[in-house]
Amino acid sequence: MVRLEHNIMPKRDEKLINVNEWKNDNVTAKINNVFLSLNSNSLTSLADFFVDEHPSKTLPFEATIENTTIKLCSPTQNDALQDETSIKPTDTEIHLSRLKVERTNDGLVCVEPIKENCNSPHSGNQQIEMIEEFKKITIENEYLHRKLGTLERLKEENLELRRFQEENKSLKILLSEAQDNISKLLGEKQNLLDQVHVLKESKTNMIVTSSKR
């Protein structure tokens, strides 16, 4: 859809110098759901339409493009002239979801994405939903941070407990070895006491025998 607004506003307080100064034109275009296929050579030829032999006043325009695809087809060559090793040209496809093209009275062309209307009720509801979602995510992140801190403390406590368990296990092993050594020493002590007792009895018997003689 293309719309041309042509307004004529005469200036009564000034002398007529050029009628074109009274004119105020503006072009508005909307392009939606269009699939356009162009040959690259044809696209190059379109540049001739933008050459103005007689410079005129800049015509401001505003165009909105939504869901539009432009396919630039590469020129095809004769298969007989193509070498087997030559690279075949490929087509270029450009997809424009939402785009705004604007030219001001100064001739400046601006291309920018379409901005959402923040004053609409639907946009306001979206902002409220986004704020609520952001608050919810913030609360969840704080909860996860606290939970992560608790898990870190539990991890440190578990490591400390494992260290105590390893030390306790080592102490039990040392205690068992000490008890075994004590048992061996007690056995050796009892053996020595028995030997001493035997020696004493032998000595006593020898003394008694000598006295009888």
Side-chain angles (χ1 to χ4, degrees):
M1 182 186 72
V2 180
R3 179 180 179 182
L4 173 62
E5 296 180 0
H6 182 71
N7 299 323
I8 298 178
M9 301 178 63
K11 300 179 181 180
R12 298 179 180 179
D13 297 337
E14 298 180 2
K15 295 181 180 180
L16 178 60
I17 299 176
N18 188 357
V19 179
N20 292 328
E21 295 181 357
W22 293 0
K23 298 178 181 179
N24 185 12
D25 298 333
N26 187 26
V27 177
T28 304
K30 291 185 179 180
I31 304 173
N32 298 333
N33 303 321
V34 175
F35 182 85
L36 182 63
S37 181
L38 294 175
N39 192 297
S40 58
N41 292 335
S42 301
L43 185 63
T44 305
S45 301
L46 289 176
D48 297 335
F49 290 96
F50 296 94
V51 178
D52 195 355
E53 296 180 357
H54 302 284
S56 58
K57 183 180 178 181
T58 302
L59 178 63
F61 71 86
E62 180 179 337
T64 57
I65 304 173
E66 295 185 10
N67 193 23
T68 299
T69 302
I70 302 175
K71 184 177 182 180
L72 302 179
C73 302
S74 300
T76 58
Q77 299 179 359
N78 190 358
D79 295 338
L81 299 177
Q82 287 185 350
D83 188 5
E84 294 181 355
T85 59
S86 62
I87 300 175
K88 296 182 180 180
T90 57
D91 299 337
T92 302
E93 190 169 303
I94 303 173
H95 180 70
L96 305 175
S97 56
R98 303 191 71 187
L99 192 68
K100 178 181 177 182
V101 182
E102 182 180 6
R103 184 169 68 176
T104 62
N105 293 325
D106 300 332
L108 180 64
V109 178
C110 301
V111 180
E112 59 183 2
I114 297 177
K115 298 179 180 179
E116 297 290 344
N117 186 8
C118 298
N119 297 325
S120 63
H122 181 67
S123 178
N125 293 333
Q126 285 184 343
Q127 286 185 346
I128 294 174
E129 291 177 358
M130 290 177 63
I131 292 173
E132 293 296 331
E133 188 68 20
F134 178 75
K135 290 181 179 179
K136 182 179 178 181
I137 293 174
T138 303
I139 294 173
E140 291 179 354
N141 287 340
E142 291 178 355
Y143 170 74
L144 291 176
H145 279 299
R146 291 195 299 269
K147 191 172 183 180
L148 182 61
T150 303
L151 292 176
E152 289 293 334
R153 289 193 297 271
L154 290 175
K155 182 180 179 181
E156 293 177 358
E157 292 176 358
N158 288 334
L159 292 175
E160 191 72 14
L161 182 60
R162 288 182 181 178
R163 187 173 64 84
F164 288 154
Q165 289 177 348
E166 293 294 332
E167 291 180 355
N168 189 20
K169 185 178 180 180
S170 300
L171 291 175
K172 286 182 178 180
I173 293 173
L174 293 175
L175 179 61
S176 178
E177 292 177 354
Q179 289 176 347
D180 292 339
N181 292 330
I182 291 172
S183 298
K184 290 180 181 179
L185 291 174
L186 290 175
E188 292 177 357
K189 178 182 178 182
Q190 186 63 38
N191 189 17
L192 291 173
L193 290 174
D194 293 340
Q195 290 180 4
V196 170
H197 182 69
V198 170
L199 290 173
K200 285 182 178 180
E201 288 182 352
S202 299
K203 184 177 180 181
T204 302
N205 292 332
M206 290 177 62
I207 293 172
V208 171
T209 304
S210 299
S211 61
K212 287 181 178 181
R213 290 179 181 179

